[in-house]
């Protein structure tokens, strides 16, 4: 297993937890953290990793404050497009293609590319004191790292535009109200709630869950008939898995299904 300094990777019974670990910088993404994130996610994606769910959170009082603005590469005058293409995009693509569900436990501010990372998860749970910030415009930039794709699909055009153009803090409870995230819990309950939910996913029918991810992704761009076709193809594949046989058998036998992820 790779040695990490800017994050921790904890593996427990099919659940991988990545904790961003630069609390003094609100877990801002410097080059080292981005590289470690990519390594960790690739490790988790590996066929023999045994991981069936990924949980991402931050240490300290922030989830992630976005690009590390104190690092040379973020300064104006540098090619930020290249920085996105070279470092952020491989990570976001890897997360998008991960064959298992992703949960983010947003423990504090999620700003800029840190917000993009938070909402790249399938299920986002936030602490009551957390907030979301499209910080880009405040420093003269445009939203990136997937925000202009994901955010309008979550909260609609009107609210997404306002968030992106006004650069104001959106409290977790407003984000919940707007449909940006799945749940808000008391700060003290965040990690237990997120762990319980992530562990349920880690014990779920992994191939069905990863196909749900793919279907939700294609739903954004497919026509209705293309999406019907995609559902049928996914159902054909998933219908032949051990977990489907187990799920149906357990239903008939009136017992709890014991999914293996196969
Ligand atoms: C930080 C950061 C930070 C470094 C807090 N960097 N130190 C950009 C460029 C290039 C290519 C690709 O894409 C991108 C994408 C982006 O993500 S752009 C957006 C970058 N992020 C921001 O603009 C957010 C900047 N941070 C803030 O606005 C505030 O820190 C927030 C609102 C997040 C939190 O405010 P406070 O709770 O008041 O905390 P603070 O500002 O005092 O921050 C605590 C420390 O963390 C502080 O250091 P210090 O030594 O003074 O204690 C900050 O300098 C540091 N920090 N964000 N992004």
């Amino acid at each position: 297993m790779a040695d990490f300094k800017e994050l921790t990777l904890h593996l427990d019974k099919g659940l991988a937890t990545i904790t961003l670990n630069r609390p003094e910088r609100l877990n801002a993404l410097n080059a080292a953290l981005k590289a470690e994130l990519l390594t960790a996610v690739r490790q988790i994606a590996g066929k023999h990793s045994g991981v069936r769910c990924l949980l991402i959170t931050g240490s300290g009082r922030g989830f992630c404050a976005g690009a590390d603005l104190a690092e040379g590469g973020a300064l104006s005058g540098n090619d930020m497009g290249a920085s996105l293409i070279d470092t952020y995009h491989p990570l976001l693509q890897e997360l998008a293609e991960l064959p298992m569900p992703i949960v983010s436990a947003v423990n504090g501010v999620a700003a800029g590319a840190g917000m993009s990372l938070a909402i790249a998860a399938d299920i986002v749970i936030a602490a009551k004191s957390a907030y979301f910030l499209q910080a880009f415009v405040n420093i003269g930039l445009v939203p990136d790292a997937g925000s202009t794709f994901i955010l309008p699909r979550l909260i609609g055009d009107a609210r997404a535009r306002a968030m992106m153009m006004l650069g104001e803090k959106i409290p977790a409870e407003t984000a919940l109200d707007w449909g940006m995230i799945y749940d808000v819990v008391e700060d003290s309950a965040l990690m237990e709630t997120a762990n319980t939910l992530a562990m349920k996913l880690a014990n779920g029918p992994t191939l069905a869950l990863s196909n749900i991810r793919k279907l939700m992704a294609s739903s954004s761009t497919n026509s209705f008939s293309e999406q019907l076709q995609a559902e049928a193809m996914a159902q054909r594949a998933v219908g032949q898995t051990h977990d489907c046989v187990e799920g149906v058998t357990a239903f008939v036998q009136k017992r709890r299904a014991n999914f293996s992820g196969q």
Side-chain angles (χ1 to χ4, degrees), residues 24-26 28 61 65-70 80 83-84 88 109 111-113 131 133 135-136 139 141 144 169:
E24 70 292 346
R25 287 279 165 271
L26 302 178
R61 69 180 179 90
D68 188 324
L69 300 176
M80 296 190 194
S83 152
L84 283 167
Y88 287 85
V109 56
Y131 63 92
L133 177 60
F136 311 90
I139 53 167
L141 290 178
D144 62 24
K169 297 177 181 177

Side-chain angles (χ1 to χ4, degrees), residues 32-45:
L33 176 53
K34 283 183 284 180
E36 289 191 8
L37 263 172
L38 184 58
T39 303
V41 175
R42 285 190 172 148
Q43 190 174 309
I44 288 163

Side-chain angles (χ1 to χ4, degrees), residues 87-110:
T87 62
Y88 287 85
H89 294 188
L91 172 63
L92 289 154
Q93 286 287 355
E94 197 76 45
L95 288 171
E97 287 156 26
L98 204 63
M100 66 194 72
I102 305 174
V103 177
S104 62
V106 182
N107 52 301
V109 56

Side-chain angles (χ1 to χ4, degrees), residues 124-143:
V124 184
I125 304 183
K128 217 172 208 169
S129 69
Y131 63 92
F132 296 83
L133 177 60
Q134 286 285 295
F136 311 90
V137 75
N138 297 339
I139 53 167
L141 290 178
V142 299

Side-chain angles (χ1 to χ4, degrees), residues 14-198:
L15 173 61
T17 303
I18 292 178
T19 306
L20 311 179
N21 197 23
R22 304 186 69 221
E24 70 292 346
R25 287 279 165 271
L26 302 178
N27 303 314
L29 298 158
N30 63 359
L33 176 53
K34 283 183 284 180
E36 289 191 8
L37 263 172
L38 184 58
T39 303
V41 175
R42 285 190 172 148
Q43 190 174 309
I44 288 163
K47 265 199 159 43
H48 304 293
S49 73
V51 178
R52 293 165 63 191
C53 180
L54 168 62
L55 172 63
I56 304 176
T57 191
S59 66
R61 69 180 179 90
F63 175 77
C64 176
D68 188 324
L69 300 176
E71 199 176 49
L75 298 176
S76 59
N78 289 330
D79 183 347
M80 296 190 194
S83 152
L84 283 167
I85 291 165
D86 293 346
T87 62
Y88 287 85
H89 294 188
L91 172 63
L92 289 154
Q93 286 287 355
E94 197 76 45
L95 288 171
E97 287 156 26
L98 204 63
M100 66 194 72
I102 305 174
V103 177
S104 62
V106 182
N107 52 301
V109 56
M115 175 172 167
S116 305
L117 179 65
I119 62 175
D122 299 288
I123 298 182
V124 184
I125 304 183
K128 217 172 208 169
S129 69
Y131 63 92
F132 296 83
L133 177 60
Q134 286 285 295
F136 311 90
V137 75
N138 297 339
I139 53 167
L141 290 178
V142 299
D144 62 24
S147 265
T148 61
F149 187 89
I150 297 174
L151 192 59
R153 286 170 169 79
L154 290 174
I155 62 175
D157 191 289
R159 284 167 169 160
R161 277 177 202 250
M163 270 195 86
M164 290 174 191
M165 291 188 173
L166 298 175
E168 288 172 353
K169 297 177 181 177
I170 301 300
E173 282 178 322
T174 307
L176 179 65
D177 195 40
W178 288 0
M180 190 201 297
I181 62 176
Y182 174 65
D183 205 2
V184 175
V185 296
E186 293 297 334
D187 291 14
S188 58
L190 178 69
M191 287 321 292
E192 197 187 329
T193 309
N195 266 314
T196 303
L197 194 144

